[in-house]
Every structure is written in structure tokens, then in C-alpha cells.
Amino acid sequence: MNQPAMVLKEGTSRSHGREAQHTNITAALLIAESVRSTLGPKGMDKMLVDGFGDITISNDGATILDEMDVQHPVAKMMVEVAKTQDDEVGDGTTTAVVFAGELLSKAQALMDKDVYPTVIIDGYQYAGEKALDFLQKLAMKVNPADKAMLKKIAQVSLASKLLAEHSEYIADIAVKAILEVTEKTPTGFKSDVEDVKVEKKAGGSLTDTTLIQGVLLDKEVVHPGMPRRVEKAKIALLNCPLEVEKTETDAKLNIENPDQMKAFLNEEEKILKEMVEKVSSAGANVLICEKGIDDVAQHYLAKKNILAVRRVKQSDMEKLAKATGGRVLSQLEGLKSSDLGLADLVEEKKVSDDKMTFVEGCRTPKAVSILVRGGTERVVDEAERAIHDALCVVRDVVVEPRVVAGGGASEAEVARLLRTHAQRLTGKQQLAVQAYAEALEVIPLTLAENAGMDPINALMDVRSKHQAKQRWVGIDPYKGRVADLGKLEVYEPLAVKVQTLKSAGEAACMILRIDDVIAASKAKEGGGPPKGPEESAKEEGEGEF
Ligand code: ADP
Ligand code: MG
């Protein structure tokens, strides 16, 4: 008679109302807390060890969160904030996550005072729009062709990284690379970070990192008899193998005498020889193949003095096609000289213990590569990530040439403007807008904290200077003092700051809107990687999950 109605599957867990909100916010805060200490030039690095014992050392918010492999659904949403930030603008990942966390923590405080979540969400959305307005008005125009300026911006993004010591050298390379691939359009400039190929090789030092005018392949020439250097290269680009295809089904071949065997092998050889003939008769002196090249084919290619490289990544094939003006063909049939790509020089060079193939002086100068060097595997990995950030910020400014000062100055100024604006509002909306403004100040606060300053004193100092109309005052972590970042020429792209506000605001509101979490029972796990301390810590806070 009194049977409860079963709506959900057995084993489903459910938490709702305040409790769900509280759990969600706790999970999000744990994520924000975990990257907080890495913010800014004096931030620390994290060492992450995965299930296989591989180590990553990084300061990059997106990388850290990605490697952490979090479980909680809301924690995952925070990780996505970093990802979006990384995809859209390439920098400011830690900032976005820390800010999103602070928005949620302030929201929690308001909810504890009985402010209803929807009121907070509306207030945050309103504040977010206003903040974007203020930011746009604050931003300064720069000249996108001003190399010195671009270099400074790249240096700021590199400041918090492992290679900060060499930031000037690396920033220079990043600026040159981006300017190389930038195109003028009727309305401004177009630039794609993807056009810069970054290849890494452990060994040497960070200052051995070089910019190469062309495409760099981490592959060697396949046969010792082939030339190592081809000038005025005519390059055939293929994505089919130079091999005799094996049948898919098990076929049986009855060979009864040695003559038949010989005929069979000759036939194979003939096919391969013909393939090579096609490459050579099209006029190619270089062959770059996405698939394999048979030993016999290699031999014939070598005889024809053709330099060949095999098993090249698809993305590299596309870059090569773009750079050399060639066409990637999926079959040898019909290869013509007009399909060939052109380059001044294709050469195999020794880098450390490995050999790499350099395709230089391409038809379009729009192809550049950066060869990242550094003491160890981990150094080059982190350097590659840092260079990615630097390339992105330079691209951001070239495409939209507007900047704001760093060191938490722009956040502090927007916070001040929001507070002034909030005086015109009433009731709970005012509270929410004020909370948003305070949350913004977590950036200068955290920068001060990480620089070993007294964070509260520093923030008060920053606030009062902003009151006195010094809009670019923020934290100078190097000297551990409050300073005018405009005078120190510490600038960041407006695009990065705009995206930070957008992605953090959206994620915070989305998390606040959830008041019911219904989780299906977990499918049986089959011995995944061991759980790290982060995960177990989070599970403790999860309660219901
Ligand atoms: P994110 O992942 O958010 O980019 P970072 O660790 O790169 O995090 O730190 C970025 C913060 O460090 C920004 O707020 C930036 O303004 C600040 N910053 C970088 N260089 C300087 C500098 N020379 N002086 C003051 N602040 C700096
Ligand atoms: Mg950064």
C-alpha cells in the first residue's frame, strides 16, 4: 500500500537545493584553489604525475587542470573554463579559473545571507556586461606593427613561465613568427597561430631555440643512398603508401618451383619500380609521404637521386601543401608536375642525436617553424606551452590592437568603476554587483600573495590609488610593491581580459543555476589509474556522490 514510487533507477544518487549548491561550489572552489598559487610571475609550478608515472611540470592553468583528470561534474566545468580560455585567446587560463572560483565563493556568502541564487545570477550578468563596457573604454590602442610593443606583451605572458629568464629572446622569436604569418585584410590583419609549426627536441639550451623559415619535420631521410640536401626542390606530397598492398583476406599462393617464386618477386619489384618511375617522371626530386615506403621503393628512389621522407603527420602534410603550393595526392596515378610543391632547399640536419628534415625557402613565406630546445624533455614541453601562450597573445594584439595594463591593474580599475556604478542600484542587485567587483580584486590580491606581500594591505593600497585616479596601479611582483604597471609597460591584450570575464562569468552562473544533481550509479570501473591526492580530497567534500 505504502510503496514509494520509484522514478529513478536503483543506485542513482540525488542531491538538491542548498545542499547541491553547496557541494557544487565546494568542488569548484577546490579547483580554483589548486591553481591559485601559480598565478603571476612569482607563482609556483605544479608537478603532476599520471597513472603511468609520467611527470608534467607546469605553470599553465589549462595544462594543470587537464592533467589532474578530475571526476566531479562541476569540477569538470571549471576545467572547461580554462580550456575555453586557452582555445579562444591562449592566455589568462589561471586568471579565468581563479576569478570564476571567487565569483562562486562570493555567491556562497550571499546565499548564506539568504539572497536567492537567481538574484545573484542576474546581478552577476548585469555586472559582467558593465565590466565589459568599462574594460573596452579603458583599453588603449596600440600599433599592431610596433614590434617593440608586441615583444613586451609576449614577455608579460612569458613572465610566469619556466623560461622567464630568457623571455626576451623567446618573445622576439614569437613576434617574428607571428608577423611572418600575418596577412593584411581590408579591415585589419589576419593571423593564425596554427601557421607557426612548433617542433621540440630535448638537448642544448633554451637559447638554442630558433625560428626557421619553412616547415620542419621530425623525420629523417629514409635511405642512406639518398641525397641529404636538395636545392630547388620539387616536392611530391603523397598520402598513399609506396608499398605493394597486402590482401585483406588470407590468400594462398601455390608456388611449385623456384621460377615461379622469382616471377612473383619480380612482379612485386616491377610494381614498386613503376611507382618510383611515376614520381620521377613528374619531375620530383623530393618525396614526402604520409604513409610507408617499401625498402625496394626506397632503393629505386635513391637510384633516381630522390630524397624521400615517410610517415609524416597529416597536419604536417597540410602545412607543407600550404607552404610549398603543392597538392597532397591520395594516389600516384596522374601525378603531374603542377602538383609538386616548391622550396629552395630541403635538407636533413642533425639536431641533438636525431635527424630532422628542414624544408626551407618555401613558395609562400607564410610558413615558419620554431624549433624549441632545452635541457630536458620536461623543459622543452613546458617551453612549448609557454611559446604557445606567447604566440597567442601576439596574435591577439595583431588582430585586435588594444591592450590594458597587467598586474591586476585593469581588474582593480573595473572593480572601482563597478562599485561606483553600484551606488545607483538598489537592494540585492547592488549586493550582487558589489560582490562581482570584489571578486575581480582576487587577481591583484593573489598576485600580491604569491609575491610574498601582505595581500590585504597591498589591495587597500591599490584601491586607494585607484580612487585617486591612478588607473594602471597594480602589483609589481618582482619588487614586491604596488606600482603603476603602465609606467612599467606591463601590458596584456584586451582580448584576453574580455575572454576571462566572459568564460568565468558564464561558468559561475551556470554552476549557480544548478539546484539538483541526479547522478546515475557509476558503471563498474575496470581498474583505472590510481587516484591522486586531488581526487580523494574532492571526494571527501562531495558527500552525496
Ligand atoms: P594566466 O594563466 O592567467 O595567464 P599567469 O601565471 O600567466 O596566469 O599570470 C598572469 C598574471 O601575471 C596577469 O595578471 C599578469 O598581469 C601578471 N603579470 C605578468 N607579468 C607581470 C609583471 N611583469 N608585472 C606585474 N604583473 C605581471
Ligand atoms: Mg599567462
Side-chain angles (χ1 to χ4, degrees):
M1 286 289 264
N2 281 332
Q3 281 279 0
M6 296 291 282
V7 179
L8 300 173
K9 223 174 162 178
E10 197 179 345
T12 306
S13 71
R14 180 171 185 180
S15 71
H16 49 124
R18 282 247 171 144
E19 190 188 290
Q21 276 155 351
H22 187 76
T23 323
N24 288 345
I25 291 177
T26 309
L29 288 184
L30 270 165
I31 294 293
E33 207 51 50
S34 68
V35 290
R36 199 174 156 139
S37 66
T38 68
L39 186 76
K42 292 283 161 182
M44 306 299 263
D45 290 352
K46 301 256 165 201
M47 180 189 252
L48 299 134
V49 187
D50 72 7
F52 301 103
D54 286 342
I55 298 171
T56 306
I57 297 174
S58 185
N59 173 286
D60 184 63
T63 308
I64 297 169
L65 294 176
D66 194 38
E67 292 283 330
M68 262 168 43
D69 189 17
V70 298
Q71 295 290 330
H72 193 285
V74 167
K76 281 190 179 149
M77 286 167 74
M78 292 290 278
V79 176
E80 266 156 31
V81 172
K83 279 217 183 95
T84 319
Q85 186 76 20
D86 204 29
D87 294 345
E88 292 288 324
V89 287
D91 196 14
T93 49
T94 316
T95 308
V97 173
V98 169
F99 176 48
E102 198 63 15
L103 281 174
L104 289 168
S105 141
K106 295 277 184 265
Q108 177 77 63
L110 287 177
M111 271 149 54
D112 290 345
K113 284 190 212 142
D114 277 333
V115 181
Y116 201 67
T118 41
V119 177
I120 303 175
I121 293 168
D122 289 348
Y124 275 5
Q125 277 169 348
Y126 177 81
E129 275 163 33
K130 277 277 152 213
L132 285 180
D133 271 359
F134 291 142
L135 206 52
Q136 301 276 2
K137 284 191 193 120
L138 265 177
M140 305 190 323
K141 266 212 159 60
V142 290
N143 174 5
D146 179 353
K147 278 195 195 148
M149 179 60 141
L150 294 176
K151 209 169 135 182
K152 289 210 176 83
I153 292 161
Q155 270 183 277
V156 171
S157 98
L158 291 168
S160 50
K161 312 290 182 201
L162 177 100
L163 40 68
E165 215 186 318
H166 308 297
S167 67
E168 202 180 332
Y169 181 77
I170 304 287
D172 193 49
I173 291 183
V175 171
K176 280 190 186 140
I178 289 291
L179 290 182
E180 208 67 62
V181 299
T182 300
E183 278 173 66
K184 208 168 161 42
T185 64
T187 48
F189 292 97
K190 200 177 89 188
S191 186
D192 189 354
V193 177
E194 294 291 312
D195 287 339
V196 181
K197 181 164 167 16
V198 181
E199 215 32 270
K200 55 192 172 182
K201 192 86 351 200
S205 82
L206 283 168
T207 44
D208 292 330
T209 300
T210 44
L211 181 68
I212 292 145
Q213 306 285 341
V215 182
L216 178 56
L217 304 169
D218 190 2
K219 297 281 170 202
E220 56 183 322
V221 173
V222 287
H223 193 276
M226 287 175 178
R228 258 49 198 165
R229 181 187 161 97
V230 174
E231 281 177 32
K232 297 214 169 38
K234 290 187 183 155
I235 310 165
L237 300 166
L238 287 183
N239 68 4
C240 58
L242 249 70
E243 286 163 352
V244 177
E245 270 185 60
K246 305 269 176 300
T247 50
E248 296 241 330
T249 49
D250 276 341
K252 217 182 218 164
L253 202 65
N254 281 328
I255 293 178
E256 278 156 10
N257 56 45
D259 283 349
Q260 277 180 354
M261 182 71 191
K262 204 164 170 221
F264 176 70
L265 289 178
N266 279 347
E267 185 58 27
E268 243 193 47
E269 202 172 318
K270 205 176 119 215
I271 296 174
L272 290 167
K273 200 173 169 185
E274 273 167 14
M275 285 179 161
V276 172
E277 200 54 52
K278 277 179 194 139
V279 176
S280 130
S281 62
N285 51 13
V286 174
L287 168 68
I288 297 180
C289 188
E290 201 184 316
K291 304 277 164 54
I293 302 177
D294 188 284
D295 291 352
V296 177
Q298 290 178 19
H299 167 77
Y300 284 116
L301 284 165
K303 264 189 154 174
K304 297 255 179 210
N305 245 351
I306 295 175
L307 182 160
V309 179
R310 67 174 164 181
R311 302 201 200 290
V312 173
K313 277 188 287 183
Q314 191 191 356
S315 57
D316 289 349
M317 294 301 287
E318 281 161 16
K319 284 204 182 91
L320 279 168
K322 210 165 159 184
T324 63
R327 231 155 54 97
V328 182
L329 294 186
S330 52
Q331 57 175 28
L332 262 172
E333 224 53 60
L335 176 72
K336 318 184 279 303
S337 71
S338 59
D339 295 327
L340 304 178
L342 303 177
D344 290 342
L345 178 67
V346 176
E347 189 178 14
E348 180 194 77
K349 286 187 210 168
K350 206 161 173 208
V351 179
S352 266
D353 286 339
D354 290 316
K355 290 169 187 154
M356 297 176 104
T357 305
F358 292 65
V359 181
E360 291 177 79
C362 297
R363 198 182 206 162
T364 39
K366 259 198 69 174
V368 291
S369 304
I370 296 176
L371 175 58
V372 185
R373 306 300 311 276
T376 69
E377 209 65 53
R378 278 179 264 294
V379 172
V380 283
D381 284 352
E382 178 68 351
E384 184 196 19
R385 289 189 282 269
I387 288 173
H388 168 78
D389 284 16
L391 291 172
C392 285
V393 291
V394 177
R395 186 258 339 249
D396 292 341
V397 177
V398 168
V399 174
E400 193 194 347
R402 294 205 291 164
V403 297
V404 294
S410 68
E411 286 89 353
E413 180 64 7
V414 172
R416 182 187 73 82
L417 292 165
L418 273 178
R419 264 197 213 99
T420 316
H421 181 80
Q423 284 164 4
R424 282 191 236 154
L425 309 172
T426 52
K428 291 183 175 159
Q429 192 189 25
Q430 187 183 44
L431 286 182
V433 174
Q434 277 166 348
Y436 187 100
E438 257 174 56
L440 269 175
E441 286 174 339
V442 74
I443 302 305
L445 189 86
T446 310
L447 285 172
E449 205 171 274
N450 291 348
M453 299 162 68
D454 178 331
I456 304 292
N457 278 345
L459 183 58
M460 290 306 142
D461 195 6
V462 170
R463 265 193 201 170
S464 69
K465 295 214 161 103
H466 277 263
Q467 287 293 352
K469 297 267 159 2
Q470 299 183 35
R471 60 177 186 157
W472 288 153
V473 166
I475 305 296
D476 172 6
Y478 292 107
K479 298 240 166 79
R481 58 170 186 168
V482 168
D484 187 316
L485 279 307
K487 286 197 187 122
L488 294 177
E489 300 192 292
V490 174
Y491 292 115
E492 291 183 279
L494 173 68
V496 171
K497 293 295 168 189
V498 164
Q499 188 59 40
T500 314
L501 295 188
K502 281 188 189 159
S503 35
E506 275 167 19
C509 289
M510 204 188 245
I511 292 170
L512 285 174
R513 205 170 272 132
I514 302 168
D515 81 334
D516 205 344
V517 178
I518 305 163
S521 65
K522 276 220 185 87
K524 287 234 160 47
E525 275 178 38
K531 284 184 179 157
E534 286 292 346
E535 283 168 31
S536 2
K538 226 169 301 119
E539 274 168 11
E540 274 163 33
E542 275 178 24
E544 282 297 306
F545 288 84

